[in-house]
Amino acid sequence: MNNLAITADEQRQYQQHFVNANPVNGRLPGAAARANLMQSGLSTQQLGEIWELADIDKDGALDLDEYSVALKLVFSLLAHAIPAVPPVLPPGLIPASKYQHFGSSANLSPPYASPRPADAPAALEWYVSESDRARYQQLFAQHARGGHVRLLDVDEFLGGLGVGRPAATQAWALVDVRKYQQLNQEQFTYLLHILSAHLRGAPLPPTLPPA
Protein backbone atom coordinates (compact mmCIF):
# COMPACT_ATOMS: atom_id res chain seq x y z
CA MET A 1 0.00 0.00 0.00
CA ASN A 2 3.06 2.26 0.02
CA ASN A 3 2.41 2.57 -3.73
CA LEU A 4 -1.10 3.88 -3.15
CA ALA A 5 -0.85 7.39 -4.55
CA ILE A 6 -2.95 9.78 -6.61
CA THR A 7 -1.88 10.10 -10.24
CA ALA A 8 -2.03 13.36 -12.17
CA ASP A 9 -5.03 12.12 -14.17
CA GLU A 10 -6.85 11.10 -11.02
CA GLN A 11 -6.12 14.46 -9.42
CA ARG A 12 -7.75 16.23 -12.36
CA GLN A 13 -10.80 13.98 -12.07
CA TYR A 14 -11.04 14.50 -8.31
CA GLN A 15 -10.74 18.26 -8.74
CA GLN A 16 -13.71 18.20 -11.11
CA HIS A 17 -15.69 16.12 -8.59
CA PHE A 18 -14.79 18.66 -5.94
CA VAL A 19 -15.90 21.65 -8.04
CA ASN A 20 -19.15 19.91 -8.98
CA ALA A 21 -19.93 19.39 -5.30
CA ASN A 22 -20.08 23.19 -4.77
CA PRO A 23 -17.42 23.82 -2.13
CA VAL A 24 -17.80 26.78 0.23
CA ASN A 25 -14.67 28.87 0.75
CA GLY A 26 -12.53 26.09 -0.64
CA ARG A 27 -14.06 23.36 1.53
CA LEU A 28 -16.88 20.87 1.28
CA PRO A 29 -19.02 20.98 4.44
CA GLY A 30 -19.37 17.63 6.16
CA ALA A 31 -22.95 17.01 5.05
CA ALA A 32 -22.21 17.75 1.39
CA ALA A 33 -19.05 15.65 1.34
CA ARG A 34 -20.75 12.70 3.03
CA ALA A 35 -23.71 12.88 0.64
CA ASN A 36 -21.35 12.62 -2.33
CA LEU A 37 -19.29 9.81 -0.83
CA MET A 38 -22.41 7.80 0.04
CA GLN A 39 -23.19 7.55 -3.66
CA SER A 40 -20.31 5.06 -3.88
CA GLY A 41 -22.43 2.36 -2.28
CA LEU A 42 -19.80 1.56 0.34
CA SER A 43 -20.99 0.72 3.83
CA THR A 44 -21.52 3.39 6.44
CA GLN A 45 -18.69 1.86 8.47
CA GLN A 46 -16.26 1.99 5.55
CA LEU A 47 -17.19 5.58 4.76
CA GLY A 48 -16.77 6.52 8.41
CA GLU A 49 -13.27 5.03 8.43
CA ILE A 50 -12.43 6.86 5.20
CA TRP A 51 -13.68 10.13 6.69
CA GLU A 52 -11.46 9.67 9.75
CA LEU A 53 -8.42 9.34 7.48
CA ALA A 54 -9.37 12.03 4.95
CA ASP A 55 -10.39 14.79 7.39
CA ILE A 56 -6.76 15.25 8.34
CA ASP A 57 -7.10 18.58 10.13
CA LYS A 58 -10.31 17.41 11.89
CA ASP A 59 -12.35 20.49 11.03
CA GLY A 60 -15.45 18.59 9.93
CA ALA A 61 -15.01 19.60 6.27
CA LEU A 62 -12.83 18.47 3.37
CA ASP A 63 -10.66 20.70 1.22
CA LEU A 64 -9.52 19.58 -2.23
CA ASP A 65 -6.54 17.60 -0.94
CA GLU A 66 -8.61 15.84 1.71
CA TYR A 67 -11.49 15.13 -0.68
CA SER A 68 -8.99 13.67 -3.16
CA VAL A 69 -7.71 11.34 -0.45
CA ALA A 70 -11.27 10.24 0.30
CA LEU A 71 -12.05 9.59 -3.38
CA LYS A 72 -8.81 7.65 -3.87
CA LEU A 73 -9.70 5.36 -0.98
CA VAL A 74 -13.28 4.96 -2.17
CA PHE A 75 -12.30 4.06 -5.73
CA SER A 76 -9.49 1.78 -4.53
CA LEU A 77 -11.98 -0.18 -2.45
CA LEU A 78 -14.50 -0.36 -5.28
CA ALA A 79 -11.78 -1.63 -7.64
CA HIS A 80 -10.54 -4.13 -5.00
CA ALA A 81 -7.12 -2.50 -5.21
CA ILE A 82 -7.04 -2.60 -1.40
CA PRO A 83 -8.75 -5.21 0.81
CA ALA A 84 -10.00 -2.77 3.44
CA VAL A 85 -9.72 0.80 4.64
CA PRO A 86 -6.16 1.10 6.03
CA PRO A 87 -5.85 1.82 9.77
CA VAL A 88 -3.66 4.85 9.05
CA LEU A 89 -3.22 7.04 6.01
CA PRO A 90 -0.59 5.46 3.71
CA PRO A 91 2.44 7.73 3.23
CA GLY A 92 1.77 8.01 -0.50
CA LEU A 93 -1.59 9.63 0.21
CA ILE A 94 -0.39 12.27 2.65
CA PRO A 95 -0.76 15.63 0.86
CA ALA A 96 2.17 18.01 1.17
CA SER A 97 -0.26 20.65 2.42
CA LYS A 98 -1.09 18.43 5.41
CA TYR A 99 2.30 17.04 6.28
CA GLN A 100 2.58 19.29 9.33
CA HIS A 101 -0.04 17.06 10.94
CA PHE A 102 2.30 14.07 10.65
CA GLY A 103 5.74 15.50 11.43
CA SER A 104 8.49 17.61 9.90
CA SER A 105 7.75 19.00 6.44
CA ALA A 106 11.41 19.19 5.42
CA ASN A 107 12.60 17.63 2.17
CA LEU A 108 9.12 17.13 0.73
CA SER A 109 8.53 16.61 -2.94
CA PRO A 110 5.14 18.02 -3.99
CA PRO A 111 2.41 17.15 -4.57
CA TYR A 112 2.68 14.34 -2.01
CA ALA A 113 5.02 13.79 0.88
CA SER A 114 7.52 11.05 1.45
CA PRO A 115 6.90 9.12 4.69
CA ARG A 116 9.58 11.03 6.64
CA PRO A 117 12.96 12.63 5.96
CA ALA A 118 15.77 10.10 6.28
CA ASP A 119 17.70 12.37 8.64
CA ALA A 120 14.77 12.70 11.03
CA PRO A 121 13.73 9.19 12.06
CA ALA A 122 10.49 8.91 13.94
CA ALA A 123 10.46 7.46 17.42
CA LEU A 124 7.92 4.92 18.58
CA GLU A 125 5.80 6.21 21.43
CA TRP A 126 4.11 3.36 23.25
CA TYR A 127 1.15 5.51 24.30
CA VAL A 128 -1.90 4.77 22.10
CA SER A 129 -4.31 7.69 21.76
CA GLU A 130 -7.99 7.13 22.44
CA SER A 131 -8.92 7.77 18.80
CA ASP A 132 -6.29 5.32 17.52
CA ARG A 133 -7.28 2.73 20.11
CA ALA A 134 -10.93 2.97 19.08
CA ARG A 135 -10.01 2.51 15.42
CA TYR A 136 -7.75 -0.46 16.14
CA GLN A 137 -10.39 -2.08 18.32
CA GLN A 138 -12.91 -1.65 15.53
CA LEU A 139 -10.55 -3.45 13.17
CA PHE A 140 -10.07 -6.17 15.77
CA ALA A 141 -13.83 -6.68 15.95
CA GLN A 142 -13.95 -7.07 12.16
CA HIS A 143 -11.33 -9.83 12.11
CA ALA A 144 -11.70 -11.56 15.49
CA ARG A 145 -13.06 -15.02 16.06
CA GLY A 146 -13.78 -16.15 19.58
CA GLY A 147 -12.03 -13.18 21.13
CA HIS A 148 -8.81 -13.56 19.15
CA VAL A 149 -7.37 -12.68 15.76
CA ARG A 150 -5.45 -15.45 14.02
CA LEU A 151 -2.51 -14.73 11.78
CA LEU A 152 -4.05 -16.70 8.91
CA ASP A 153 -7.21 -14.60 9.09
CA VAL A 154 -5.42 -11.24 8.82
CA ASP A 155 -2.53 -12.20 6.55
CA GLU A 156 -4.07 -10.42 3.55
CA PHE A 157 -5.03 -7.42 5.68
CA LEU A 158 -1.50 -7.06 7.07
CA GLY A 159 -0.04 -7.53 3.61
CA GLY A 160 -2.07 -4.56 2.41
CA LEU A 161 -0.86 -2.12 5.06
CA GLY A 162 2.19 -1.10 3.06
CA VAL A 163 4.85 -2.00 5.60
CA GLY A 164 5.98 -5.16 3.83
CA ARG A 165 5.41 -8.71 5.00
CA PRO A 166 8.78 -9.06 6.78
CA ALA A 167 7.99 -6.06 8.98
CA ALA A 168 4.44 -7.24 9.63
CA THR A 169 5.69 -10.71 10.53
CA GLN A 170 8.38 -9.29 12.82
CA ALA A 171 5.88 -7.06 14.62
CA TRP A 172 3.45 -9.97 15.00
CA ALA A 173 6.18 -12.14 16.52
CA LEU A 174 6.97 -9.35 18.97
CA VAL A 175 3.44 -9.00 20.34
CA ASP A 176 2.55 -12.71 20.10
CA VAL A 177 4.56 -13.39 23.24
CA ARG A 178 3.18 -16.92 23.79
CA LYS A 179 3.59 -17.84 20.11
CA TYR A 180 -0.01 -19.00 19.80
CA GLN A 181 -0.33 -17.47 16.31
CA GLN A 182 -3.28 -15.47 17.60
CA LEU A 183 -3.68 -12.13 19.36
CA ASN A 184 -6.16 -10.76 21.84
CA GLN A 185 -7.56 -7.23 21.46
CA GLU A 186 -4.77 -5.53 23.42
CA GLN A 187 -2.04 -7.36 21.50
CA PHE A 188 -3.70 -6.55 18.18
CA THR A 189 -3.96 -2.91 19.21
CA TYR A 190 -0.21 -2.76 19.83
CA LEU A 191 0.50 -4.63 16.61
CA LEU A 192 -1.29 -1.94 14.59
CA HIS A 193 0.25 0.79 16.73
CA ILE A 194 3.74 -0.52 16.00
CA LEU A 195 3.05 -0.90 12.28
CA SER A 196 1.46 2.56 12.08
CA ALA A 197 4.57 4.10 13.64
CA HIS A 198 6.75 2.07 11.28
CA LEU A 199 4.83 3.49 8.31
CA ARG A 200 5.84 6.94 9.56
CA GLY A 201 9.49 5.98 9.72
CA ALA A 202 9.94 4.54 13.21
CA PRO A 203 12.14 1.43 13.42
CA LEU A 204 10.52 -1.74 14.67
CA PRO A 205 11.23 -2.13 18.37
CA PRO A 206 13.39 -5.11 19.40
CA THR A 207 11.34 -5.73 22.54
CA LEU A 208 8.10 -4.73 24.22
CA PRO A 209 8.23 -2.18 27.04
CA PRO A 210 8.27 -3.52 30.62
CA ALA A 211 4.84 -4.46 31.86
Side-chain angles (χ1 to χ4, degrees):
M1 202 173 292
N2 273 331
N3 295 325
L4 192 64
I6 299 174
T7 67
D9 284 342
E10 287 172 336
Q11 186 59 55
R12 285 191 289 270
Q13 294 173 22
Y14 299 163
Q15 183 170 359
Q16 190 59 54
H17 279 288
F18 184 77
V19 171
N20 291 343
N22 298 317
V24 178
N25 296 324
R27 284 176 166 75
L28 282 180
R34 289 189 181 93
N36 279 277
L37 296 175
M38 287 180 67
Q39 295 178 21
S40 66
L42 294 177
S43 70
T44 302
Q45 178 174 315
Q46 288 174 310
L47 292 174
E49 293 170 359
I50 289 172
W51 181 273
E52 283 298 313
L53 295 179
D55 185 15
I56 296 170
D57 50 20
K58 306 304 179 189
D59 63 353
L62 302 182
D63 61 20
L64 174 58
D65 283 338
E66 292 171 319
Y67 193 62
S68 296
V69 168
L71 289 181
K72 178 65 177 184
L73 291 170
V74 165
F75 290 133
S76 294
L77 282 170
L78 293 175
H80 303 291
I82 55 176
V85 180
V88 296
L89 195 61
L93 284 185
I94 299 175
S97 65
K98 304 295 180 182
Y99 200 70
Q100 70 270 20
H101 296 281
F102 297 88
S104 172
S105 59
N107 300 331
L108 296 183
S109 298
Y112 293 95
S114 57
R116 195 174 181 95
D119 59 348
L124 172 62
E125 297 288 344
W126 286 106
Y127 170 74
V128 182
S129 70
E130 290 302 314
S131 60
D132 284 345
R133 182 176 291 276
R135 187 163 65 250
Y136 299 155
Q137 289 177 351
Q138 187 176 54
L139 288 167
F140 176 83
Q142 292 175 19
H143 295 284
R145 296 183 181 184
H148 291 85
V149 165
R150 299 187 307 164
L151 179 58
L152 289 176
D153 293 333
V154 293
D155 182 64
E156 182 180 0
F157 168 74
L158 294 177
L161 292 181
V163 297
R165 289 189 182 276
T169 302
Q170 182 179 338
W172 180 285
L174 181 66
V175 298
D176 183 15
V177 292
R178 296 182 181 273
K179 309 307 177 190
Y180 288 162
Q181 298 299 302
Q182 63 181 19
L183 304 178
N184 60 29
Q185 180 174 270
E186 188 69 8
Q187 290 170 316
F188 189 71
T189 293
Y190 276 102
L191 171 68
L192 294 185
H193 181 64
I194 291 168
L195 295 179
S196 296
H198 188 57
L199 271 172
R200 304 196 193 289
L204 294 174
T207 60
L208 294 173

